[in-house]
Amino acid sequence: MKSKQIILAIITLSTLAFGANADSAIWGKDLITSILGYDQKESLHLGYYFTLLQSTYFKPLFLGIILGVPAVFFLHYLVIGPMIFSHDRKKIYIFTLFNRIVHAIAAIAFILIIPTGLVMMFGSTFGGGEFVRTCKEIHAISTLLFIISVVPMFFMWLKSMFLHWDDIKWLMIVGGYLNKNKNPVPAGKFNAGQKTWYWLATLGGFVMIGTGAAMFFQDFRLDILVEYGISQIDFLRGSAIVHNVLGAAVVILFLVHIYMSVFAIKGAIHSMVTGYKEEEEVEVLHSSFYRKLKKENKI
Amino acid sequence: MSENARLKFFCDDDRCIACDGCSVACAEAHELPAGINRRKVVTMNEGIAGLEYSLSIACMHCTDAPCEQVCPVDCFYIREDGIVLHDKDACIGCAYCLYACPFGAPQFPQDGAFGIKGAMDKCTMCAGGPEETNSHEEREKYGQNRMAEGKVPVCASMCSTKALLVGDSQEISKVYRERVLSVGRGVKTQPYGWGVAYGSKI
Amino acid sequence: MANTWGYGAMTNSLGDVQNAKAIIIFGANPAVNHPVGFQHFLKAKERNNAQIIVVDPVFTKTAAKADHYCRVRPGTDIPFMYGMLHLIFKNGWHDEKFINDRVYGMDDVMEEAKKWNPKKVEDVTGVPADQLIQVTKAYAKSTPGTLIWAMGLTQHTVGSSNTRLAPILQLALGNMGEEGGGTNILRGHDNVQGATDMCCLSHTLPGYYGLSDGSWKYFAKSWGVDYEWLKGRFAAPEWMNKKGFTLSRWWAGVLDGKNGNDKIHNGGTNLKNLFVMGNGITSIAQQAKVKEGLDNLEMLVLCDPFVNEAAILTDKQDDVFILPAATQFETSGSVTATNRSAQWRSKVVEPMYESKTDEDIMFELAKRLGFYDQFTAGMKVKENKKDYKWPEDATDEIARIIKTIGLTGWTAERIKKHTKNWHMFDQISGRGYGEMKGEYYGLPWPVWTETHGGSPLLYNINRSVKEGGMGFRNRFGLEHDGHDLLAGKGSAPKASSNKDGYPEINAKNIEKVLGIKLTADEKKRIGKNWKVDTSNIIAEKCMEQGMAPYGNAKARAKVWTFPDQIPMHREPLHSPREDLVKKYPSYEDKGNHYRVDTQYKSKQTEKNWSKEFPINLVTGRLVNMNGAGMENRASKYLAALTPEMFCSINPDLAGRYGIRDGSMMWIHSPEGTKIKVKAKYSHSVSEDRIFIPFHFAGHFQGEDLSHKYPSGTKPYATGESANTVTNYGYDIITQIPETKGGLCRIEFA
């Protein structure tokens, strides 16, 4: 399986990182050029930007997210409330066993990765030391779970996730979640919101894996960086910035996804357990998909 | 040392001859694992007449230390006299301090399996760490605490040519200024502080 | 140098370098080898605006701090110095009065110098003509100038000519006997000057007394040992006066001229046993031959705190003994610094484990060989004691006996006092104050009497003899070719009762030269001459008259006993310039040179070496290593700085052979040997030469000998020895190996 090969590749690469440490990519010859280049006009100024962002902006940003997003949804729940669909009509088989297993592993991975990541971000609040260090190790090890789930996930749903005109329409009405009625919403098998989450989780996930791995293994040399004249320390700084910024986006959409699947649409989570969705839910929330199914006499 | 002293390192590149006495003295005094260079000597433009120079670099104990600003567990503490220290027990080895540092001072002894990094290690200006001063634990984790004994950090004290100076930034500036100003004045000129270092006023 | 003016040692001191306005450094690298002492050079640069000029085949760390750097071809220092002299004489920058009063034979030098115009010097040395002019002007016009050298000048077949031309250069400029001037040879290891003074060499008794019958008799008497008994220790009486083998060629004595090796003259027998005490055998040239010598010994004893890597190099399995010697911290005694001053070292820890101090090992050996009583007799003579106290009685014995270099004042008590009060002396002049007033730190020799304060600046006539002044030594007779060899009128040290040149003092001329009368008792007790005057009367009387016991003569630019009376350029035995080999050939072969027939011309012309071996090989040192390197490579952090043997190679040169930075390469030698080392790109070497450090051992011609180390003794770093590929070549007078100017061929590994 592709995922197996990728895991093998990653493990092999990681051993290379230890063995080939004859000349450190950070503290070796490049140390001087990096020191000299820290503040020069032509440099990328990543050191400066990283320090600025990490010291001043990241914590407030994440704090805002983990407090603000739930707060908004709490308000939404109070004002608009959840969507409830009838259980009396047919059940449509949407998610295969494979889909569900992969999603479950991914879910576990996210549940391990995101809170531990947040613990690391707010390490001082948790007193640092042993506890935060353990969270860091969990965060890193869970990446393996993440890899084995997100890679198959990328391929298994790729066909259904391409953008469609429906998605523009969906976005314009914010998926129909801003009102209480149950008018059919323009969406395919997956709506624009789900697609956004998909692309962020997979492509963004790959970037998170890459930047995270870079920071984990730290001292290694990639030929492509050397070719483009990017020093290892700048690569790490860039990785840290991207990882945090993208991480913020991931946390936001993760919270959205939890809210949508657990609270906002009553019973949605069951589709990921049994594989079946209520007919009304599909009719309303994935109207184009419903029509297509009807045309193909699959219902 | 005055109450308002801010301690700094300064390496005079006119005097540094890349003898590595500082880096070896530091490694020996603090019994560092091989591969961790709290202090290292770098040579620029090697072999090119008129352009080659050498410098000894380590943690610069910055006044606005970026490492201290970015640490997610806030394990750094900056002493009143400017020395930047950190708590290895609180450190989670995330390397943010390394990313922020313009000088690459933080280093990570390979500690655990799968490349898990140990706690960060860097130059302490021979001032130890948060453990009890001159205790066994402090020595094990951070190396010698010479400052508490009133001694000069071992790198500067071992410098062959007194290129590496450490002390209150005002005092160091004075020494360097005297060196510069004594050019062409003949050997009877003694820079400030020389009498203290060598016990001779002649 | 001793052949030029009497003593062959550093004439000034490191602190005195701060007084210099110009410092020219030939083949020395003080930034690497004397890092702490280099402070003085840097301070001279800072405070005196001193010009630092470095003349070296490699752009060293010292050169990085220099104002002028001349990249000279290895072995062409004589043309370079003649080039300087050519310009100095042409422009009248020389000190005529000084030459007239205090130098003999400068005319011949002037004649030779005329031939060496800047263009010719450029052709031979590779230093551009205009750079030579610039450097000479800078040096000649900024006086006082001090001239520094080290192994880069001495380790050549013409080393003894190099070390005469450098003094001649200083004499021409009148830079001798001046503060900030002098010829300052930087001795390397701690106490190598002391070892030299005690003459651990095969051609002289301690204190440079030579091997004449007179010297032997003096020592026999001073030691309280029967002269006939001493004579009886030799296989036959004539061997008592014959020079022995040298450190650089002892192995020839083992190989006995067989299989194409040089023939020896050793009374029909060869060397059978080797006892090595604190010497890096792996730092001698032609290691393959050294190995052969070691393999063919009957017994090998190595005495060292660390395993001497000769034990690893040799294939000899039986009768190899390793004795653990104690370090300097486990014993006490005096040591001598490069500036001829003494320091006391105190024991700080008892000898560890089973190690014994060097003296204990030697005493035990003497006991078992049956001459312990005679061996230790000298220490009991002074106070007619029953037993001796080590090391004070040994130090006092040296002071009592060695008068040639004036060690009379070096009693244990005085040396200890100086070391205890080292804070009471001025850093630059060495003058003591307070309790130490009137003495110079460490009592630089000559210290003519037990109360003399030392002589920090040799040949300085601006100070009285009491204050350490003196003229040049009268060592070469009173006249030569009709020319008076004594110093000119009025050029005696300050406050001297004899204002002109005077001969060395002996019992016969003392009354006349000093203008005094001796009592009958004094006449009875006085020694034959100042060197063997056990009564010390000569020295005391001389001090009263403000005169130096060794005379006041002219320095000589011409040494009529040498093969080249004035220094002449001769190409190294392995030279990259075949055309110059024809023009400046080496010496005629020398038979029985320290008992070994040594080749010069025949080796040089054996074939056109430069064809097959086009690249100059330069060896040198690293700052974190020292000598044969065993000690330093066993130190974790020092070894970590340079964990592997390497070769500094110019990127363009390396590119031509397909050698990448960090890849392995072979260096092949005309000896037929080869080493495999890592290439290190560097711009400090030019395209026609490579540089290799000589501190490594433990590999031999690509083979790793690590398995041979006794368990637990292998150092952290091992590597090929540079001396596996250094070439055949030995100085004509001293037999020092020509490690600084060989040839090689390189190849991608």
Side-chain angles (χ1 to χ4, degrees):
Chain A
M1 264 194 323
K2 266 207 180 84
S3 42
K4 264 210 193 113
Q5 290 169 327
I6 291 168
I7 296 166
L8 270 161
I10 290 172
I11 292 177
T12 329
L13 276 172
S14 66
T15 49
L16 273 177
F18 312 136
N21 209 5
D23 183 25
S24 166
I26 303 172
W27 295 286
K29 284 190 276 218
D30 294 333
L31 178 67
I32 310 308
T33 25
S34 303
I35 295 176
L36 292 174
Y38 181 85
D39 226 2
Q40 282 174 352
K41 260 213 319 222
E42 325 82 54
S43 95
L44 298 166
H45 297 288
L46 287 173
Y48 166 71
Y49 286 127
F50 170 73
T51 309
L52 179 66
L53 290 169
Q54 168 65 11
S55 63
T56 325
Y57 296 107
F58 282 156
K59 270 195 184 147
L61 173 68
F62 276 86
L63 197 63
I65 291 170
I66 58 181
L67 293 178
V69 172
V72 166
F73 287 144
F74 185 65
L75 231 79
H76 178 267
Y77 197 77
L78 287 180
V79 172
I80 296 177
M83 281 204 168
I84 302 169
F85 295 104
S86 100
H87 296 279
D88 304 323
R89 294 166 66 180
K90 289 207 204 96
K91 299 218 190 286
I92 304 176
Y93 189 62
I94 303 288
F95 298 121
T96 65
L97 183 63
F98 185 68
N99 291 157
R100 282 174 276 141
I101 291 175
V102 168
H103 177 269
I105 299 174
I108 296 169
F110 268 105
I111 288 168
L112 289 173
I113 287 179
I114 290 181
T116 51
L118 290 171
V119 167
M120 280 161 59
M121 173 105 275
F122 296 99
S124 45
T125 322
F126 293 95
E130 201 61 50
F131 173 65
V132 181
R133 220 175 291 138
T134 315
C135 285
K136 177 167 153 272
E137 318 306 1
I138 295 172
H139 190 90
I141 294 171
S142 311
T143 310
L144 294 170
L145 278 178
F146 186 59
I147 293 169
I148 61 171
S149 55
V150 115
V151 172
M153 188 184 283
F154 177 73
F155 291 106
M156 76 191 183
W157 281 334
L158 183 59
K159 276 200 318 278
S160 321
M161 294 290 189
F162 291 119
L163 294 184
H164 194 264
W165 288 117
D166 276 348
D167 300 315
I168 311 253
K169 290 189 229 157
W170 189 98
L171 284 170
M172 297 222 284
I173 59 168
V174 194
Y177 293 114
L178 294 185
N179 54 54
K180 287 194 192 169
N181 52 35
K182 283 195 193 165
N183 296 329
V185 166
K189 184 173 181 191
F190 294 104
N191 62 40
Q194 288 167 315
K195 285 182 186 176
T196 313
W197 180 220
Y198 165 84
W199 287 111
L200 185 67
T202 54
L203 292 189
F206 296 148
V207 173
M208 291 303 273
I209 293 169
T211 53
M215 291 194 284
F216 184 79
F217 294 114
Q218 203 174 81
D219 200 356
F220 55 89
R221 222 181 280 276
L222 283 180
D223 284 336
I224 188 154
L225 294 173
V226 178
E227 207 183 304
Y228 282 96
I230 300 173
S231 65
Q232 178 66 4
I233 189 70
D234 269 348
F235 179 55
L236 291 173
R237 287 167 177 159
S239 299
I241 295 173
V242 167
H243 197 89
N244 277 297
V245 170
L246 209 53
V250 168
V251 171
I252 293 172
L253 283 193
F254 179 73
L255 290 173
V256 171
H257 181 72
I258 300 289
Y259 178 65
M260 296 311 300
S261 54
V262 175
F263 301 101
I265 299 164
K266 275 269 182 281
I269 202 163
H270 290 295
S271 62
M272 262 308 170
V273 178
T274 62
Y276 289 92
K277 274 198 186 180
E278 305 293 344
E279 189 183 346
E280 192 189 0
E281 188 185 328
V282 181
E283 192 183 25
V284 173
L285 292 181
H286 303 276
S287 53
S288 307
F289 183 59
Y290 187 70
R291 268 176 297 179
K292 184 168 141 250
L293 284 178
K294 265 251 147 52
K295 214 153 73 179
E296 290 166 6
N297 283 317
K298 292 228 173 105
I299 300 174
Chain B
M1 213 162 48
S2 81
E3 255 179 37
N4 303 320
R6 285 205 69 88
L7 299 175
K8 296 285 170 196
F9 280 113
F10 176 73
C11 183
D12 184 350
D13 64 279
D14 281 325
R15 289 238 186 156
C16 180
I17 51 173
C19 75
D20 270 296
C22 51
S23 65
V24 172
C26 172
E28 287 277 359
H30 304 296
E31 292 172 67
L32 301 177
I36 293 291
N37 297 308
R38 286 190 183 179
R39 179 166 285 282
K40 48 160 34 99
V41 175
V42 297
T43 301
M44 305 295 294
N45 304 322
E46 206 226 343
I48 302 174
L51 290 181
E52 178 178 324
Y53 68 94
S54 303
L55 263 190
S56 167
I57 53 177
C59 169
M60 303 299 275
H61 297 275
C62 307
T63 306
D64 59 345
C67 55
E68 190 266 338
Q69 291 178 43
V70 301
C71 177
V73 291
D74 269 340
C75 77
F76 286 89
Y77 59 103
I78 304 182
R79 288 170 33 149
E80 252 190 75
D81 55 12
I83 302 180
V84 177
L85 298 173
H86 72 291
D87 185 349
K88 281 193 183 185
D89 290 329
C91 175
I92 61 171
C94 74
Y96 273 12
C97 49
L98 169 64
Y99 306 156
C101 177
F103 305 100
Q107 285 162 84
F108 299 87
Q110 286 284 326
D111 218 13
F114 309 111
I116 292 175
K117 296 183 284 292
M120 185 275 277
D121 184 77
K122 73 166 185 70
C123 158
T124 57
M125 211 187 265
C126 289
E131 308 285 348
E132 188 190 325
T133 303
N134 287 320
S135 65
H136 178 74
E137 291 76 35
E138 191 196 36
R139 175 115 193 197
E140 283 292 307
K141 289 199 185 128
Y142 303 97
Q144 290 183 25
N145 188 338
R146 290 171 64 94
M147 295 296 261
E149 295 171 39
K151 295 187 199 164
V152 174
V154 76
C155 51
S157 72
M158 290 294 184
C159 178
S160 305
T161 53
K162 296 292 167 277
L164 184 59
L165 303 169
V166 67
D168 177 29
S169 51
Q170 306 270 37
E171 302 288 317
I172 295 180
S173 308
K174 251 193 227 166
V175 172
Y176 187 64
R177 200 166 25 240
E178 295 253 5
R179 275 188 199 170
V180 172
L181 291 176
S182 67
V183 168
R185 301 296 182 112
V187 293
K188 294 310 174 199
T189 315
Q190 295 260 358
Y192 177 84
W194 231 222
V196 176
Y198 277 83
S200 152
K201 285 253 179 263
I202 294 179
Chain C
M1 250 210 319
N3 276 292
T4 304
W5 48 45
Y7 284 145
M10 179 169 179
T11 62
N12 296 38
S13 69
L14 281 171
D16 181 68
V17 170
Q18 284 193 43
N19 286 315
K21 282 252 157 45
I23 304 169
I24 188 164
I25 305 175
F26 285 90
N29 196 355
V32 163
N33 301 314
H34 299 79
V36 180
F38 196 60
Q39 260 188 91
H40 299 288
F41 291 69
L42 293 172
K43 284 188 200 173
K45 197 170 165 199
E46 260 168 40
R47 301 178 195 170
N48 260 346
N49 241 336
Q51 304 266 308
I52 300 186
I53 302 155
V54 168
V55 181
D56 200 294
V58 173
F59 186 81
T60 57
K61 288 273 168 290
T62 311
K65 293 277 179 272
D67 298 289
H68 305 272
Y69 167 65
C70 301
R71 195 183 287 279
V72 72
R73 178 164 67 85
T76 60
D77 304 288
I78 292 177
F80 187 91
M81 287 193 252
Y82 268 125
M84 290 181 74
L85 284 166
H86 173 100
L87 294 162
I88 289 168
F89 291 132
K90 188 160 120 182
N91 290 294
W93 293 332
H94 54 293
D95 188 335
E96 279 191 53
K97 180 167 189 313
F98 188 94
I99 297 173
N100 280 336
D101 287 341
R102 304 183 68 193
V103 185
Y104 163 69
M106 194 59 95
D107 302 314
D108 295 19
V109 173
M110 284 177 171
E111 274 307 304
E112 179 67 22
K114 282 200 183 117
K115 302 185 201 148
W116 292 98
N117 58 62
K119 270 266 158 299
K120 193 158 163 208
V121 172
E122 179 172 350
D123 177 40
V124 177
T125 66
V127 176
D130 44 357
Q131 194 183 36
L132 176 71
I133 297 170
Q134 184 191 31
V135 156
T136 309
K137 189 163 183 189
Y139 186 66
K141 304 218 101 203
S142 325
T143 48
T146 181
L147 197 155
I148 313 281
W149 82 74
M151 298 298 104
L153 211 62
T154 59
Q155 288 183 353
H156 294 276
T157 45
V158 293
S160 42
S161 293
N162 287 342
T163 56
R164 276 197 300 131
L165 196 53
I168 288 173
L169 178 58
Q170 286 291 73
L171 289 169
L173 291 169
N175 272 329
M176 290 312 304
E178 292 284 326
E179 282 178 26
T183 48
N184 290 317
I185 309 90
L186 302 175
R187 303 312 301 272
H189 299 54
D190 186 30
N191 203 28
V192 72
Q193 182 65 42
T196 313
D197 291 343
M198 289 307 107
C199 294
C200 305
L201 297 162
S202 64
H203 68 285
T204 170
L205 284 159
Y208 314 100
Y209 275 87
L211 294 171
S212 65
D213 283 338
S215 296
W216 277 109
K217 287 191 175 121
Y218 171 63
F219 270 90
K221 186 171 123 216
S222 305
W223 281 334
V225 167
D226 180 24
Y227 172 72
E228 292 301 319
W229 177 85
L230 272 176
K231 201 153 90 174
R233 304 296 300 173
F234 290 84
E238 75 251 24
W239 291 101
M240 203 177 188
N241 316 106
K242 285 198 207 287
K243 299 197 268 199
F245 289 99
T246 58
L247 173 60
S248 51
R249 301 212 76 197
W250 64 269
W251 44 268
V254 179
L255 299 177
D256 201 3
K258 301 196 175 77
N259 299 327
N261 286 300
D262 293 321
K263 298 236 175 312
I264 63 171
H265 304 260
N266 197 32
T269 177
N270 67 339
L271 286 185
K272 301 203 175 11
N273 300 328
L274 184 70
F275 192 108
V276 182
M277 204 156 203
N279 183 285
I281 289 287
T282 47
S283 65
I284 306 300
Q286 294 190 280
Q287 278 292 292
K289 289 286 178 197
V290 171
K291 177 177 185 302
E292 228 186 298
L294 291 168
D295 291 342
N296 283 298
L297 284 168
E298 276 181 21
M299 179 177 83
L300 173 64
V301 182
L302 301 165
C303 200
D304 224 289
F306 292 81
V307 171
N308 191 318
E309 274 154 333
I312 311 305
L313 180 67
T314 185
D315 287 331
K316 192 166 157 63
Q317 293 292 315
D318 300 313
D319 295 319
V320 178
F321 299 90
I322 302 179
L323 299 178
T327 63
Q328 58 160 315
F329 307 102
E330 295 149 297
T331 183
S332 342
S334 69
V335 292
T336 310
T338 180
N339 69 322
R340 295 164 284 107
S341 62
Q343 193 182 69
W344 193 262
R345 294 284 165 84
S346 306
K347 180 200 268 200
V348 289
V349 67
E350 287 299 317
M352 303 193 68
Y353 308 107
E354 298 136 348
S355 68
K356 283 190 167 357
T357 59
D358 291 325
E359 63 267 15
D360 281 338
I361 294 175
M362 284 192 268
F363 287 144
E364 288 301 312
L365 199 59
K367 278 183 195 152
R368 287 163 177 68
L369 292 172
F371 53 76
Y372 177 74
D373 289 327
Q374 292 90 338
F375 195 51
T376 53
M379 291 190 274
K380 305 180 215 163
V381 167
K382 184 170 179 182
E383 291 163 37
N384 202 5
K385 316 209 285 198
K386 275 274 160 10
D387 206 359
Y388 61 87
K389 179 163 176 276
W390 180 275
E392 285 79 2
D393 282 336
T395 313
D396 288 344
E397 175 191 328
I398 295 170
R400 179 173 55 82
I401 301 179
I402 309 289
K403 300 194 186 299
T404 41
I405 48 175
L407 295 188
T408 313
W410 276 22
T411 56
E413 197 191 314
R414 284 186 92 194
I415 299 176
K416 279 187 196 177
K417 190 168 179 209
H418 274 241
T419 305
K420 215 165 90 178
N421 290 301
W422 69 12
H423 51 287
M424 308 277 284
F425 293 88
D426 173 51
Q427 190 189 77
I428 296 170
S429 66
R431 286 201 164 93
Y433 49 92
E435 202 190 333
M436 306 311 297
K437 191 154 181 211
E439 299 187 5
Y440 294 99
Y441 179 64
L443 300 169
W445 59 253
V447 188
W448 307 108
T449 65
E450 281 195 31
T451 50
H452 190 263
S455 318
L457 258 81
L458 292 180
Y459 319 124
N460 185 353
I461 54 173
N462 296 317
R463 294 186 194 175
S464 67
V465 173
K466 263 219 188 73
E467 266 207 307
M470 76 271 272
F472 294 118
R473 179 171 164 184
N474 172 227
R475 195 170 179 176
F476 318 114
L478 296 172
E479 63 92 50
H480 183 254
D481 274 353
H483 294 272
D484 180 17
L485 285 181
L486 297 180
K489 288 219 168 307
S491 55
K494 201 169 99 172
S496 172
S497 66
N498 185 329
K499 299 266 175 261
D500 311 320
Y502 49 86
E504 52 176 346
I505 311 298
N506 54 46
K508 290 213 179 72
N509 67 14
I510 183 169
E511 286 183 321
K512 178 154 160 273
V513 177
L514 266 59
I516 55 164
K517 278 261 166 281
L518 293 174
T519 67
D521 175 61
E522 282 171 344
K523 279 197 189 146
K524 216 166 62 179
R525 289 190 298 125
I526 196 171
K528 198 166 117 186
N529 61 50
W530 66 282
K531 293 175 276 189
V532 298
D533 179 23
T534 317
S535 68
N536 259 342
I537 293 173
I538 296 181
E540 299 285 349
K541 296 285 178 202
C542 283
M543 291 305 109
E544 280 168 26
Q545 301 300 316
M547 294 169 65
Y550 78 5
N552 180 23
K554 289 195 172 124
R556 57 174 187 175
K558 218 159 85 158
V559 179
W560 44 90
T561 50
F562 272 21
D564 285 334
Q565 290 202 18
I566 56 166
M568 302 290 284
H569 176 54
R570 292 178 187 278
E571 284 286 318
L573 295 193
H574 300 83
S575 164
R577 292 283 302 270
E578 185 66 9
D579 58 322
L580 293 176
V581 166
K582 296 195 168 54
K583 243 174 122 184
Y584 305 104
S586 187
Y587 301 98
E588 297 298 327
D589 289 358
K590 186 164 175 176
N592 201 354
H593 186 21
Y594 291 91
R595 303 200 186 180
V596 187
D597 285 348
T598 307
Q599 302 171 57
Y600 289 89
K601 216 178 206 155
S602 64
K603 183 56 103 166
Q604 192 181 47
T605 52
E606 202 177 296
K607 57 158 105 149
N608 179 355
W609 297 107
S610 63
K611 214 151 146 210
E612 212 188 315
F613 302 97
I615 297 169
N616 248 148
L617 179 70
V618 182
T619 59
R621 295 173 199 250
L622 302 171
V623 68
N624 56 313
M625 301 254 165
N626 166 313
M630 189 13 158
E631 258 184 58
N632 320 103
R633 284 180 284 108
S635 161
K636 189 157 63 157
Y637 305 108
L638 292 175
L641 288 169
T642 51
E644 287 178 83
M645 173 61 177
F646 64 93
C647 161
S648 281
I649 183 167
N650 184 288
D652 291 324
L653 176 64
R656 274 190 263 136
Y657 288 85
I659 299 170
R660 296 179 66 170
D661 192 12
S663 66
M664 300 303 279
M665 59 184 275
W666 285 105
I667 301 176
H668 296 266
S669 151
E671 302 293 304
T673 51
K674 58 181 198 266
I675 58 174
K676 190 174 183 190
V677 298
K678 199 169 245 194
K680 177 170 173 263
Y681 276 18
S682 175
H683 288 279
S684 59
V685 273
S686 53
E687 276 181 62
D688 54 355
R689 61 198 70 163
I690 56 171
F691 169 85
I692 48 177
F694 72 92
H695 307 291
F696 289 85
H699 290 222
F700 188 65
Q701 301 207 74
E703 195 196 329
D704 186 351
L705 304 174
S706 298
H707 57 275
K708 284 193 185 178
Y709 286 92
S711 82
T713 64
K714 179 168 176 255
Y716 293 105
T718 55
E720 292 273 14
S721 170
N723 281 306
T724 308
V725 291
T726 44
N727 307 165
Y728 184 105
Y730 297 94
D731 178 71
I732 191 79
I733 304 292
T734 64
Q735 215 172 63
I736 197 170
E738 190 169 54
T739 53
K740 300 295 178 184
L743 289 177
C744 66
R745 174 170 63 87
I746 62 175
E747 191 189 342
F748 173 73

